[in-house]
């Protein structure tokens, strides 16, 4: 009995310090707990990797439901999607293997292609459709010093680089403001289509600082 007890302890120690596989998810953590006949995995302060999807997620707490194929990561979450060049920072992130979707709860920072910085909350990333969507207040900054403020959320097709929204305020690097409703923004060709258009030019745009030029 004494020899058998020592062997069990040694096997347990190896599992705690080595990467552990649950379906397609690999956990790299020194603190791993397996419950409910191997259907629930709990890990802390580590990394979850999904090689088949080119994903890596860092965080303080991990909960993997094997039956639902759903991974929840909590606190100081950092998501690295090499395939789609997307980086996410969040405090709660849920990845569903079956749907291939990522949901980021509450405040979220997303960087896409090192070109667009997205600040929003309750964001859904559909990796199959290459779409980022939220119905919450969202700000997008691009690398051309343009800012897009979506007061009622957005749907962002990251491949086509087209954003659809119900209401948007666009501010360019010259501080001109453009208001659109029911708009589609093509970021590739810098074109916006929408209705109820209002353009508030920066006062000196036409060479006279005393002007307050508007176009509707």
């Amino acid at each position: 009995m004494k020899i058998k007890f020592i062997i069990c302890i040694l096997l347990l120690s190896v599992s705690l310090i080595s990467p552990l596989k649950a379906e397609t998810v690999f956990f790299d953590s020194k603190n791993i707990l397996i419950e409910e006949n191997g259907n629930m995995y709990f890990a802390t302060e580590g990394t979850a990797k999904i090689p088949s999807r080119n994903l890596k997620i860092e965080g303080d707490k991990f909960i993997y439901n094997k039956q639902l194929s759903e991974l929840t990561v909590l606190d100081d979450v950092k998501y690295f999607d090499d395939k789609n060049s997307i980086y996410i920072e969040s405090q709660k992130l849920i990845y569903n293997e079956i749907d291939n979707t990522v949901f980021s709860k509450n405040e979220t920072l997303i960087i896409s292609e090192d070109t667009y910085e997205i600040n929003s909350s309750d964001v859904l990333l559909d990796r199959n459709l290459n779409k980022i969507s939220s119905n919450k207040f969202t700000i997008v900054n691009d690398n051309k010093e343009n800012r897009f403020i979506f007061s009622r959320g957005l749907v962002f097709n990251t491949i086509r680089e087209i954003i659809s929204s119900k209401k948007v305020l666009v501010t360019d690097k010259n501080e001109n403001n453009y208001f659109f409703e029911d708009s589609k923004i093509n970021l590739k060709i810098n074109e916006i289509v929408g209705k109820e258009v209002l353009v508030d030019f920066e006062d000196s745009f036409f060479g006279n600082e005393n002007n307050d030029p508007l176009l509707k």
Side-chain angles (χ1 to χ4, degrees):
M1 291 296 295
K2 184 176 181 181
I3 296 175
K4 185 176 180 181
F5 177 76
I6 294 173
I7 291 174
C8 289
I9 291 296
L10 288 174
L11 289 174
L12 178 61
S13 299
V14 171
S15 6
L16 291 177
I17 63 175
S18 302
L20 176 63
K21 181 180 180 183
E23 290 290 298
T24 58
V25 180
F26 292 82
F27 293 102
D28 188 358
S29 170
K30 292 184 178 180
N31 301 289
I32 299 173
L33 177 65
I34 306 172
E35 294 185 347
E36 297 184 18
N37 297 318
N39 289 316
M40 295 296 299
Y41 295 74
F42 302 89
T44 59
E45 297 180 356
T47 302
K49 295 181 180 179
I50 309 167
S52 62
R53 302 288 174 86
N54 292 320
L55 293 180
K56 182 178 76 170
I57 308 173
E58 298 176 356
D60 289 345
K61 299 175 185 176
F62 298 84
I63 304 170
Y64 181 74
N65 188 318
K66 184 177 177 181
Q67 290 183 318
L68 298 178
S69 295
E70 189 171 87
L71 172 66
T72 300
V73 188
L74 303 169
D75 302 332
D76 198 21
V77 182
K78 293 179 174 61
Y79 166 95
F80 303 87
D81 185 342
D82 292 336
K83 180 180 179 181
N84 298 304
S85 299
I86 290 178
Y87 169 77
I88 299 175
E89 288 185 1
S90 173
Q91 291 304 310
K92 181 177 180 179
L93 186 144
I94 302 170
Y95 173 66
N96 187 290
E97 285 186 281
I98 297 172
D99 298 333
N100 198 20
T101 58
V102 177
F103 180 72
S104 177
K105 185 69 176 174
N106 299 325
E107 291 186 11
T108 302
L109 167 68
I110 302 177
I111 298 176
S112 176
E113 296 282 355
D114 291 326
T115 302
Y116 306 107
E117 181 182 288
I118 304 167
N119 290 275
S120 187
S121 57
D122 297 351
V123 182
L124 177 67
L125 168 62
D126 189 320
R127 300 183 76 246
N128 293 326
L129 299 177
N130 296 297
K131 286 185 178 181
I132 297 170
S133 60
S134 173
N135 58 9
K136 303 293 186 179
F137 181 87
T138 303
I139 297 176
V140 177
N141 296 303
D142 67 14
N143 59 359
K144 299 176 183 176
E145 300 181 50
N146 297 309
R147 169 169 285 200
F148 307 84
I149 299 177
F150 303 92
S151 57
R152 298 169 64 183
L154 81 168
V155 177
F156 184 10
N157 186 310
T158 58
I159 297 298
R160 299 175 63 194
E161 295 186 45
I162 293 178
I163 300 178
S164 303
S165 70
K166 294 181 178 179
K167 188 174 290 188
V168 60
L169 163 63
V170 183
T171 303
D172 64 22
K173 65 179 180 180
N174 296 314
E175 298 185 3
N176 300 310
N177 294 315
Y178 309 82
F179 302 86
F180 296 89
E181 292 185 4
D182 296 329
S183 66
K184 285 191 179 294
I185 305 171
N186 191 321
L187 299 170
K188 283 186 176 180
I189 60 176
N190 296 319
E191 181 178 272
I192 303 176
V193 178
K195 69 177 186 179
E196 299 298 328
V197 180
L198 173 64
V199 183
D200 182 6
F201 294 101
E202 192 272 330
D203 288 351
S204 64
F205 188 77
F206 293 105
N208 185 347
E209 292 185 357
N210 295 320
N211 284 340
D212 189 13
L214 290 172
L215 175 64
K216 185 174 181 180

